[in-house]
Amino acid sequence: MKKNYLTTGWVVAALAVICCMLWGSAITTIKTGYRLMDIDSSDTAAIVLFAGLRFALAGLLVIGFECIRQKKIVRPTVRAMRLACPLCLAQTVGQYYFFYIGVAHTSGVKGSIITGLGYFFAILMSCLVFRIEKMTRRKFAGCVLGFAGVIVINLMGDRLDMGFRLSGEGALLLSQMAYALSTVLINLFSKKESPVLLSGCQFFIGGLIMTGIGCVMGGRINRISGTSFLILLYLAFVSAAAYTLWSVLLAHNTVSKVAIYGFVNPLCSVLLSAIVLGEITQAFNAGTLTALLLVTGGICIVNWKCPD
């Protein structure tokens, strides 16, 4: 029987970390895009419009890649479109609409910590709601360690207030629940349809919906240049490459085996941002090392082959 390398531990780890590095690079790039396009961080409508354009373009990139890979024009089947619709409502529209609203009304520290809950939710939803895998002590312990790492990396030198607003923390929680749902749906739908084609279709449909929402809300892009378009193109590439690769991993592995690597994402964000900004000493310190050990420990526990 031919070996499926996409289920091999080190392959899953390497590809998942590449996804997290791509997502981590997006944060500073998004802020640069806002500045170049003259988008205020409090202008939710313009941000939703910006996100919609990004994801619609990402969908075209994925579909274009699939056409090149298959050396023919790929036309999505009726089944692919039917599956892509609920997936895009969860992954692109639901997750990012509430995410952008929530980020505008909460602190960066609390936003990052709440975002880390999405990977926890994905494993819990897979085990307890859809019951497509079994919840074990190892999986729960791994999630706790991974989430602890997210908290540590985001509390270095900052204070965490305990306030809660529906427009801020509440919206972020809804965003992460949408992310968890989309993760489980990808795992289920990829058994019926190509994960690459699904990713492309859901991005394009979701991007068009978000673009429409942004326009209805009064969003406008005030300034467009060659540089800002390249920024938008790179962000579209990040979404297309990372989410498609993530979808392929979910198609060949259990949700918990892949989702646990999501806790690496905040670490990549901090490290890449620090390297770009030259803040090496702020990134490489005891707090970062502690967070790295916690996240690594969580990943090892979840993937440790032993009876519970």
Side-chain angles (χ1 to χ4, degrees), residues 117-128:
L117 281 172
Y119 313 114
F120 207 156
F121 289 160
I123 295 176
L124 292 177
M125 193 173 289
S126 174
C127 297
L128 304 179

Side-chain angles (χ1 to χ4, degrees), residues 142-178:
C143 286
V144 171
L145 283 177
F147 185 56
V150 174
I151 293 176
V152 169
I153 197 70
N154 284 287
L155 286 185
M156 294 186 302
D158 292 298
R159 293 174 62 245
L160 180 65
D161 68 86
M162 300 307 293
F164 185 92
R165 290 179 294 178
L166 290 177
S167 60
E169 294 79 11
L172 282 176
L173 281 174
L174 288 175
S175 168
Q176 294 315 298
M177 288 179 183

Side-chain angles (χ1 to χ4, degrees), residues 4-224:
N4 183 1
Y5 288 99
L6 288 172
T7 63
T8 304
W10 71 268
V11 175
V12 175
L15 296 180
V17 170
I18 289 174
C19 291
C20 290
M21 291 179 68
L22 286 170
W23 285 321
S25 72
I27 294 178
T28 52
T29 310
I30 287 172
K31 292 181 179 180
T32 302
Y34 290 167
R35 178 174 55 81
L36 291 175
M37 294 186 183
D38 196 22
I39 298 175
D40 190 271
S41 59
S42 62
D43 189 350
T44 304
I47 289 173
V48 171
L49 175 59
F50 177 83
L53 293 173
R54 170 192 175 185
F55 293 127
L57 184 55
L60 291 177
L61 288 178
V62 175
I63 294 173
F65 167 78
E66 187 68 356
C67 290
I68 294 173
R69 190 179 71 85
Q70 295 193 24
K71 298 179 181 180
K72 65 178 183 179
I73 300 299
V74 177
R75 293 181 177 84
T77 63
V78 174
R79 182 175 63 179
M81 296 298 291
R82 188 172 67 248
L83 296 176
C85 287
L87 184 57
C88 83
L89 291 177
Q91 183 168 330
T92 300
V93 180
Q95 180 185 352
Y96 284 100
Y97 177 78
F98 288 113
F99 176 79
Y100 283 119
I101 291 177
V103 165
H105 296 91
T106 191
S107 69
V109 173
K110 285 203 294 186
S112 296
I113 291 174
I114 293 173
T115 299
L117 281 172
Y119 313 114
F120 207 156
F121 289 160
I123 295 176
L124 292 177
M125 193 173 289
S126 174
C127 297
L128 304 179
V129 179
F130 287 86
R131 298 183 181 278
I132 56 178
E133 58 179 297
K134 182 182 177 183
M135 172 58 75
T136 64
R137 290 188 295 272
R138 285 189 297 109
K139 291 176 184 177
F140 187 80
C143 286
V144 171
L145 283 177
F147 185 56
V150 174
I151 293 176
V152 169
I153 197 70
N154 284 287
L155 286 185
M156 294 186 302
D158 292 298
R159 293 174 62 245
L160 180 65
D161 68 86
M162 300 307 293
F164 185 92
R165 290 179 294 178
L166 290 177
S167 60
E169 294 79 11
L172 282 176
L173 281 174
L174 288 175
S175 168
Q176 294 315 298
M177 288 179 183
Y179 162 79
L181 176 60
S182 71
T183 299
V184 177
L185 291 180
I186 290 171
N187 179 266
L188 294 172
F189 292 170
S190 295
K191 294 177 174 60
K192 304 176 182 179
E193 193 60 65
S194 163
V196 177
L197 191 58
L198 272 177
S199 182
C201 290
Q202 75 87 14
F203 268 136
F204 184 67
I205 297 171
L208 290 181
I209 293 174
M210 288 191 73
T211 300
I213 292 174
C215 290
V216 170
M217 292 173 65
R220 295 290 182 273
I221 303 296
N222 298 317
R223 187 169 57 189
I224 298 178

